[in-house]
Amino acid sequence: MAQEKVLEINQLKTYFHTKRGIGKVVDGIDLTLHKGETLGIVGESGCGKSMTSLSVLQLVPDPGKIVEGSVRLNNEELVGKSEKQMRNIRGNQISMIFQEPMTSLNPVISVGEQIAETIREHQGLNRKQAFQKSIEMLKLVGIPSPEKRAKQEPFQLSGGMRQRVMIAMALACNPEVLIADEPTTALDVTIQSQILKLMKNLQKKLKMGIIFITHDLGVVAETCDRVAVMYAGEIVEYSTTEELFRHPKHPYTKGLLQSLPKLYEDQEELQAMEGSIPSPFKEHQGCKFTDRCPIAEDSCHQIHPDLKMSSDHSYQVRCLFYQEEKELTKGMSSV
Amino acid sequence: MLAFITKRLAQTIPVIFGITLVVFLIMQMVPGDSAQVLAGEGASKETIENLRHNLGLDRPLYVQYFDSIAGLFQGDLGISAKSHQPVINEITTRLPISVELAFYSTLITIILGMTAGIISAVRPYSVSDMSVMVVALLGISFPSFWLGLILMYIFSVELQWFPVSGWDSVKHMILPAFTLGASGAAIVARMTRSSMLEVVRQDYIRTARAKGIRGYLVIYKHALRNALIPVITVVGLQFGALLGGTVLIESVFAINGLGRLIVESIRMRDIPMVQGGILVASLVFVIVNLFVDILYRFFNRRIDLN
Ligand SMILES: Nc1ncnc2c1ncn2[C@@H]1O[C@H](COP(=O)(O)OP(=O)(O)OP(=O)(O)O)[C@@H](O)[C@H]1O
Ligand SMILES: [Mg+2]
């Protein structure tokens, strides 16, 4: 695969300045997305996945702010661009699908118009042409009788259909990057797999890079080329999907994989990881995972580990105890 | 939708009957009757009794009530005890004036209220927002007749921009309509603001921004349409309050509308006129409410189903 970079995120920090103090919601993220690739971001609720993606589009809600770092689209810096410049990028070069299909569409505007307005905004087509194109987009995402559906309002469509509309809307201007923030979480399983298949097909057709955000490792295995595991605003492990599932390295990743139900193993019960993610407003000295880590030692409370790159540059891990080649011998067995 | 309208129409029938009954009973409780008033002070008992008989006031109450209901169905509201003319004639000349006043006031309520609310909501907690909200709070707190007198003093007496009273030209209508619409506008402004602030937090607004839609379109196309749905109800309710307000405002500005007619008739103990006037005013109120309900339902159908 020609590894042409389309989006590069470097040391991105998004903080929320509130009365409670500073919430380090995104705390130094590095990610690279190549053309035509799907990059997964996984992690528990509240670890900063959505804020990372909203930071890329510079749509972080108040009182959040990007305080440091860079986001480059085709080598062009986005952080610091004006609202007007960003508007030309949003929905055009970088699109986003949100996790709530039920509430992400405007309830009083026809779905066709909601797609068409994006097209008018970015491609300068007139009303009629744009509406025509919106019908084509609805056809592309597999909505039956698109001419009729285009004139309907969201409440007349099912959840799965609405998510298809969201996809049609996001792809209407042929974006180079699609950020899908848990696009299937709210849908039932059969619809979920239909939507995933659809996204894969469209990706091949349109050659876009996808950032796929989810907390479902099963979905990651199905869709992603590479994966970043996030914990409390940081990346703790970053590798190819295959490597991640075969040889998880960070104790958090191992925990996540162990909590996955395994069909082929005689497992008595589902092991969910105990404890919860630390608040982004809490000051931290050492590793953020120590409270829940089965192999943590005193040093973990003192030293904040760096994200270390493997010698062959194939993966990165943020753990004091991780050493290459030798699997961790303490605590957990490898999965 | 059609089922809803039919059901809603059916519901108004008992309401209208209820109104006729309440109005009738209240009028019975008022001390003194038309006969006494008509006969004038110092009239003999006999004269009054005679008048009573002529006016049918000596019949049992329920007979009088059903009689008036029967008349109502034929558009007959009785004969004025004062002028001896059919009540309906007087009302039909007065009602349009009140409706006109209410219409202009509603217009002011809507235009002024919504504009102020949007200005506030676009930059919440800014100086412009704070100023608008302070004025709105004052608008709600001022009694309308008092506001009317103040405005009349400033703009008619001192500045002489507008005539003091009457109802002939647009110039006559501005002050009364503003006075009557002011508190409604204040309520609508506050409602529009809070509704807008609620709506801009919704997911679909984030979607619109993520698509690269320009700022004013996000506000006016995506946010406002949704924000105005609950405001419609408030405007409807305001219209009811406004009809009540016409009574005061018409008296303050000496406008010969229905409200003033009712007040005058009460003073004269012209019971048929009062009864007719209140009945017609109530009917207007019920019809407007019906209309607002249907309108709200129409705009809200997509939200209900979510
Ligand atoms: N308005 C806000 N003020 C303060 N903190 C906020 C605000 N919005 C979000 N956060 C914080 O940002 C953190 C990250 O939120 P984010 O929505 O990115 O999580 P997520 O990984 O997308 O979770 P989920 O899987 O539930 O979508 C959360 O811990 C939350 O506490
Ligand atoms: Mg999220």
Side-chain angles (χ1 to χ4, degrees), chain A residues 45-46 48-51 53 99-100 181-182 213 215, chain B residues 206:
Chain A
S45 189
K49 305 183 295 291
S50 295
M51 289 307 152
S53 46
Q99 83 196 78
E100 307 86 2
D181 188 353
E182 313 204 23
I213 296 175
H215 47 234
Chain B
R206 188 182 57 188

Side-chain angles (χ1 to χ4, degrees), chain A residues 134-204:
Chain A
S134 80
I135 291 172
E136 278 164 38
M137 289 310 297
L138 288 176
K139 204 180 290 169
L140 183 71
V141 296
I143 288 187
S145 45
E147 289 88 359
K148 193 182 110 209
R149 291 296 185 182
K151 295 201 183 84
Q152 293 185 332
E153 282 149 4
F155 77 96
Q156 291 164 297
L157 274 57
S158 69
M161 288 244 236
R162 287 187 214 190
Q163 201 57 301
R164 282 170 194 265
V165 171
M166 284 296 291
I167 294 172
M169 205 157 81
L171 302 187
C173 297
N174 249 325
E176 294 166 72
V177 177
L178 174 69
I179 303 175
D181 188 353
E182 313 204 23
T184 56
T185 309
L187 305 173
D188 66 53
V189 186
T190 43
I191 313 262
Q192 182 169 335
S193 70
Q194 285 172 15
I195 297 275
L196 291 179
K197 227 180 264 159
L198 171 71
M199 286 180 62
K200 272 273 151 210
N201 282 339
L202 291 174
Q203 179 179 31
K204 270 197 208 112

Side-chain angles (χ1 to χ4, degrees), chain A residues 54 59 83 87 90-91 98 100 103-109 113-114 117-118 120-122 153 155 162 166 169, chain B residues 202-215 217 221-223 225-226 229 299 301-303 305-306:
Chain A
L54 289 172
L59 285 175
E83 176 67 16
R87 246 190 24 233
R90 294 176 195 145
F98 294 98
E100 307 86 2
T103 54
S104 291
L105 290 170
N106 195 317
V108 300
I109 301 177
E113 167 60 15
Q114 291 191 57
E117 65 174 345
T118 321
R120 289 202 305 271
E121 186 73 49
H122 297 300
E153 282 149 4
F155 77 96
R162 287 187 214 190
M166 284 296 291
M169 205 157 81
Chain B
Q202 300 295 313
D203 292 334
Y204 52 81
I205 296 299
R206 188 182 57 188
T207 307
R209 298 194 60 210
K211 289 193 295 189
I213 302 298
R214 46 199 70 214
L217 276 181
K221 183 173 172 184
H222 286 266
R225 278 200 210 177
N226 286 286
I229 291 166
F299 280 114
R301 67 194 196 281
R302 8 197 177 199
I303 282 128
L305 289 159
N306 269 350

Side-chain angles (χ1 to χ4, degrees), chain A residues 19-128:
Chain A
K19 285 181 204 126
R20 276 193 296 159
I22 296 175
K24 300 181 176 180
V25 166
V26 178
D27 202 9
I29 295 281
D30 294 286
L31 287 172
T32 308
L33 180 71
H34 300 104
K35 273 213 167 109
E37 170 194 52
T38 304
L39 171 67
I41 303 182
V42 274
E44 276 164 285
S45 189
C47 70
K49 305 183 295 291
S50 295
M51 289 307 152
T52 304
S53 46
L54 289 172
S55 301
V56 170
L57 284 175
Q58 287 171 53
L59 285 175
V60 181
D62 278 341
K65 283 234 154 42
I66 298 177
V67 293
E68 220 185 287
S70 99
V71 177
R72 289 167 163 273
L73 176 71
N74 296 323
N75 258 324
E76 194 184 337
E77 180 62 54
L78 300 188
V79 176
K81 269 200 192 296
S82 72
E83 176 67 16
K84 191 159 173 241
Q85 291 169 314
M86 278 314 293
R87 246 190 24 233
N88 288 330
I89 290 166
R90 294 176 195 145
N92 192 18
Q93 290 171 280
I94 308 178
S95 283
M96 192 159 171
I97 305 173
F98 294 98
Q99 83 196 78
E100 307 86 2
M102 290 305 172
T103 54
S104 291
L105 290 170
N106 195 317
V108 300
I109 301 177
S110 75
V111 294
E113 167 60 15
Q114 291 191 57
I115 300 171
E117 65 174 345
T118 321
I119 299 167
R120 289 202 305 271
E121 186 73 49
H122 297 300
Q123 304 192 329
L125 298 187
N126 67 25
R127 265 180 190 274
K128 219 172 147 193

Side-chain angles (χ1 to χ4, degrees), chain A residues 14-18 20-26 279-282:
Chain A
T14 301
Y15 291 178
F16 278 73
H17 298 267
T18 68
R20 276 193 296 159
I22 296 175
K24 300 181 176 180
V25 166
V26 178
S279 158
F281 290 91
K282 212 176 108 190

